[in-house]
Amino acid sequence: MGDTLLTVTELTMRFGGLTAVNALSFNAKRGDITAVIGPNGAGKTTVFNCITGFYKPTSGSIAIAHTPGASMLLNKLPGHAIAKKGRVARTFQNIRLFGGMTVLENLLVAQHNELQAATGFGVLAILGLGKYRAAEKAAIERAKYWLAATNLIDRADDPAASLPYGAQRRLEIARAMCTDPVLLCLDEPAAGLNPRESQALNDLLLKIRADGCSLLLIEHDMGVVMKISDHIIVLDHGKKIADGTPLEIRNDIAVISAYLGEGDDDDPDAPIAETLAAAE
Amino acid sequence: MKHLADNIKDSLIVGGVAFLLFGPFLGLQLTNGTSGNLGLATRPMLLAIAVGLSIVARFLLLLWQDHRTTRVPAVKLAAAVAKSGKYVAPALLIVTITLPLIPGIDNSYIDLGVLIMTYVMLGWGLNIVVGLAGLLDLGYVAFYAVGAYSFALLSHYFNFTFWECLPLCGILAAAWGIFLGFPVLRLRGDYLAIVTLAFGEIIRLVITNWVSLTGGPNGIYDIPHPTLFGLTFDMSGGPGTVSNFFHVDPDPSQRTTFLYYIILALALLTNWVTLRLRRQPLGRAWEALREDEIACRSLGINLRNTKLTAFAIGAMFGGFAGCFFATRQAFISPDSFTFIESATVLAIVVLGGAGSQLGVALAAVVMIGVPALLQDLQIYRMLIFGIALVTIMVVRPRGFISTRTPSVSLGKAKIISSDMISEGHG
């Protein structure tokens, strides 16, 4: 339990007449795995897109503290600077890899800004001068580290599109980690994984946390959420309905009614509700 | 042969379409009637031949497609083509370097070589934008025109020489690339294509209508030829000419050969820079941009700057080529920079295989060299050319060489087949 890393204050996101996120405030602590859960359409991915700069929030602020006490407003940064200056990395719900490039190339693209700085505006590197060679070597070493951590080292020279689904998920995490983030945002990392892959994912996320990177995670798989998160935020209809440790969330009346519905027959999230109920 | 019935049916349908299409064009002919008025004659034999050929061609095509899907795995074929590139490229380079040195070679062949290589260079320049960055640019001729007119105007008004202007033309064209790129590059896909096309036309129209500066449709004459360390290729053979200095008889082929090696050097420079850039962060960012823009943004890559560099560097090589074009022709007019030039260069890139340097070079030889060499066949020239293009697109829809070689590898680099590679969305 450390100090606050991410502070979201009164975040509101409207699309025309639809309010996807309504005056949401929450904190994520440094060194924690913070999970954002909620029924489908609760606004989880919208919150993620605001934090990672893909949407400009209608109102409210998102601040990140790289060192205790310091604060940087993420909602004031241009989109690409969120990863570069804000040091917030993300993965996508539908995997977005560079399919025609090899696994290793994917990880080198992630280190673009550092490598580009070493090329001397590209001119020196074209002529084979300067420190680019050393920078590339270091980048490959870092890529190898994450390839080993995600168990992809044997596939390093294969095109990303040729990997099986679970490996693509891991590669996307490895690629995000190569940007050297302080906060990694994962949008449903366990979706479509089998139980064994899911377990491996848990281990990977715990390793990332141990390496000093905090995590923010959207997840439907309660097995993953309850086991590894330190802190859970529950959203429903764009509002926060609960905020606390896994144990507190399990016993929260509002959460249970949001998932199970209040005497409502129409229940789109039955499997999750069952899992949640079974976990009690 | 399980599809035989289907294939015959399909072929007959194609025959029907061909009949409808060719009927009015080939089947009917206007003639001079008996009393000076128009008469109408029919040509059933010609129509039958055209329809028959269509049916047979369609049938053979279907047979071949069956054969291909059952027999030849696309990946293996792609790998074989890419592997052969290792030998084809150096062989092609040696032939290109030695071509003008063949004793007794006709000057027109060297001249054709110059023309082909101009297009190879344009193709390589556009390949950066279309093949690597995946931005569809239909107005590449604009930068070619900027390069050509920069040199023409600087030499006309300020007596600049070719060698002084060459770097300036590249810089000016790159500046235009950035200038055009700023408003244009927020657009994607079809919108980008249309706006770049419009910019190509705007440049041409400005050149045409700004008569006081550019001479308008009359063009600019007497653009100086390049000199060899101050020596001219003048036919008079007087002092200060190459023939006088080296004590040889003046011959027009000397200048053509000199131009040939200039464009060869420029084209190789384009190729070298592109190949080096591909192995660098910038080149990898271009390719990543082609694969997935949103993922690029999430990794902290500045999309606008990355696209602008692709545009600017592509434009720079277009400017060099334009400068060379002006000095070679000694006369330029807006007619040389119409949309068809952009289309030809784009066709070279697409046909050769977007992203492949060797493929683009081969495509330029086919697209420019073949029509020129088939001159003797007169009207059938374009027919053969058209059939050849259609055949290539059927056989290799992603271009001659559609595979990709990784820019970096831990072990042995593996060729990536085209079905993995994205074509870019804008």
Side-chain angles (χ1 to χ4, degrees), chain B residues 21-365:
Chain B
L21 205 63
F22 290 131
F25 294 123
L26 295 180
L28 301 175
Q29 189 183 26
L30 291 174
T31 54
N32 287 320
T34 44
S35 54
N37 53 348
L38 281 177
L40 198 61
T42 53
R43 293 189 291 190
M45 266 316 282
L46 194 61
L47 182 61
I49 290 172
V51 173
L53 275 178
S54 307
I55 294 174
V56 171
R58 178 67 187 172
F59 187 72
L60 289 177
L61 183 66
L62 287 171
L63 270 189
W64 186 78
Q65 276 179 345
D66 281 351
H67 169 80
R68 184 173 67 152
T69 46
T70 49
R71 298 267 172 81
V72 189
V75 179
K76 212 177 241 177
L77 193 72
V81 172
K83 203 181 273 175
S84 67
K86 218 182 270 177
Y87 309 101
V88 172
L92 210 61
L93 183 64
I94 290 169
V95 169
T96 316
I97 291 174
T98 50
L99 181 78
L101 305 177
I102 298 169
I105 188 167
D106 196 86
N107 197 18
S108 67
Y109 286 110
I110 306 176
D111 205 43
L112 179 62
V114 172
L115 185 68
I116 291 175
M117 264 191 298
T118 312
Y119 280 93
V120 170
M121 181 171 176
L122 285 170
W124 278 341
L126 186 62
N127 198 17
I128 295 174
V129 184
V130 176
L132 293 183
L135 305 164
L136 185 54
D137 182 356
L138 289 180
Y140 192 62
V141 76
F143 308 122
Y144 191 42
V146 168
Y149 268 88
S150 300
F151 174 41
L153 294 173
L154 284 171
S155 70
H156 186 79
Y157 290 105
F158 303 106
N159 293 318
F160 276 47
T161 65
F162 171 74
W163 294 110
E164 287 162 351
C165 278
L166 188 63
L168 285 178
C169 289
I171 292 168
L172 283 169
W176 270 99
I178 293 171
F179 181 70
L180 299 190
F182 255 110
V184 163
L185 287 177
R186 18 181 110 241
L187 303 172
R188 300 182 64 187
D190 307 349
Y191 302 99
L192 177 73
I194 292 294
V195 176
T196 50
L197 187 151
F199 265 120
E201 287 298 284
I202 288 170
I203 296 246
R204 187 177 62 83
L205 288 174
V206 167
I207 292 171
T208 310
N209 290 297
W210 197 346
V211 179
S212 59
L213 181 75
T214 64
N218 297 328
I220 298 176
Y221 296 86
D222 291 333
I223 301 167
H225 285 295
T227 55
L228 178 67
F229 298 109
L231 300 173
T232 66
F233 286 85
D234 201 67
M235 282 302 107
S236 67
T241 65
V242 169
S243 46
N244 182 281
F245 189 81
F246 292 104
H247 303 294
V248 287
D249 290 330
D251 186 328
S253 74
Q254 287 160 359
R255 180 197 287 157
T256 324
T257 309
F258 183 52
L259 287 172
Y260 183 92
Y261 282 112
I262 292 176
I263 187 67
L264 179 62
L266 284 173
L268 288 180
L269 175 77
T270 313
N271 185 36
W272 182 71
V273 169
T274 312
L275 289 180
R276 291 299 292 240
L277 278 175
R278 257 207 75 208
R279 292 171 185 282
Q280 280 194 25
L282 188 59
R284 278 198 284 263
W286 287 339
E287 293 203 78
L289 203 69
R290 181 192 66 206
E291 297 283 334
D292 194 323
E293 250 182 53
I294 291 174
C296 273
R297 199 176 129 178
S298 82
L299 296 173
I301 294 173
N302 187 327
L303 298 184
R304 190 195 60 206
N305 288 2
T306 309
K307 284 182 181 180
L308 274 181
T309 49
F311 235 62
I313 293 175
M316 182 178 79
F317 291 121
F320 286 153
C323 184
F324 175 81
F325 176 76
T327 196
R328 170 181 174 241
Q329 302 285 92
F331 160 72
I332 54 168
S333 77
D335 290 341
S336 309
F337 307 105
T338 51
F339 170 66
I340 194 71
E341 292 296 314
S342 293
T344 307
V345 179
L346 187 66
I348 287 172
V349 173
V350 173
L351 196 67
S356 162
Q357 298 292 92
L358 177 62
V360 169
L362 289 175
V365 173

Side-chain angles (χ1 to χ4, degrees), chain A residues 113-121 124-125 129-133 135-136:
Chain A
N113 287 316
E114 273 163 67
L115 283 172
Q116 184 64 24
T119 58
F121 296 104
L124 291 179
L129 304 169
K131 53 195 172 163
Y132 175 67
R133 211 176 280 264
E136 193 182 63

